[in-house]
Amino acid sequence: MRRSSFIASTTGGAALGVASLRRLAFGAPERAPSTYRVGSFLVDVSRAIVRVRHQSDADRSLWETAPGQPLLQAAVGKADIKEYGNPLGLFHVRDNVSSLSTFSGFDSVQSRGDKTLQLRGALEGPATAVSFLLTLDAVSENQLRFSVALEGAAAKRFNRLYLRYASSASEAYFGFGEQL
């Protein structure tokens, strides 16, 4: 599997019922994951790993974190975007990141009813640390929504949020302006 990064949007949410996880530094040896039911989905969570399966085929992983890579990163960046081509419509984007905080582990897992799971943790970097809330909502029997919110006073400082996950080498993206 290769790793992929995707810029995630941020939202908020409340939580009920807390199961505590002792946070260890990212990259520490993993322990056996705990499994939580979120609607029709099974979500395995350990110190730094998240794996999503569906109850109809519990042996198959639908989504999981990339081994040895941080799940989340937040950054302060400035994009330099130039349009070119004839006709116009091609873009050259250069993103300069000046500060980066990286996933260091989960602090707690919180259940809210049968269809929501919330994971709290921290992103740490040389300039600042920030807490985050990752929420998984079962929208339907076959759809699981992910949302991430940075929390606390330091959250306003960041304007980039990266979600990294595992994918197969043959995975392809269509869109983003790609034309066949």
Side-chain angles (χ1 to χ4, degrees):
M1 296 206 154
R2 71 169 194 231
R3 65 189 160 120
S4 295
S5 295
F6 189 78
I7 298 176
S9 63
T10 59
T11 60
L16 303 172
V18 175
S20 180
L21 294 175
R22 193 178 82 208
R23 181 171 13 126
L24 295 177
F26 174 74
E30 281 296 317
R31 64 170 192 225
S34 297
T35 300
Y36 300 88
R37 186 173 297 277
V38 182
S40 298
F41 296 90
L42 303 171
V43 180
D44 304 319
V45 180
S46 62
R47 293 180 189 123
I49 302 293
V50 178
R51 178 179 178 219
V52 176
R53 302 173 289 136
H54 196 274
Q55 68 184 9
S56 67
D57 188 4
D59 292 332
R60 182 174 160 238
S61 178
L62 299 174
W63 186 94
E64 61 187 286
T65 53
Q69 298 295 320
L71 168 67
L72 290 171
Q73 291 181 303
V76 176
K78 182 175 184 340
D80 179 26
I81 302 170
K82 294 186 175 143
E83 187 174 19
Y84 65 95
N86 190 11
L88 294 177
L90 301 173
F91 296 88
H92 181 265
V93 179
R94 182 180 304 246
D95 196 24
N96 298 305
V97 173
S98 61
S99 176
L100 185 67
S101 291
T102 300
F103 174 72
S104 61
F106 294 115
D107 293 327
S108 67
V109 178
Q110 305 168 340
S111 291
R112 195 171 90 180
D114 297 341
K115 296 187 178 190
T116 301
L117 185 68
Q118 297 179 325
L119 302 117
R120 290 187 184 278
L123 304 175
E124 298 175 355
T128 190
V130 64
S131 297
F132 71 86
L133 174 64
L134 170 62
T135 303
L136 291 81
D137 289 305
V139 177
S140 71
E141 190 169 310
N142 293 315
Q143 293 181 343
L144 186 67
R145 176 179 46 222
F146 289 65
S147 60
V148 179
L150 298 180
E151 301 178 318
K156 295 176 184 175
R157 180 172 187 270
F158 295 98
N159 62 0
R160 306 280 189 279
L161 185 58
Y162 304 98
L163 174 66
R164 185 169 283 133
Y165 58 94
S167 63
S168 71
S170 62
E171 182 177 5
Y173 289 95
F174 294 95
F176 303 107
E178 180 177 83
Q179 298 178 15
L180 299 176

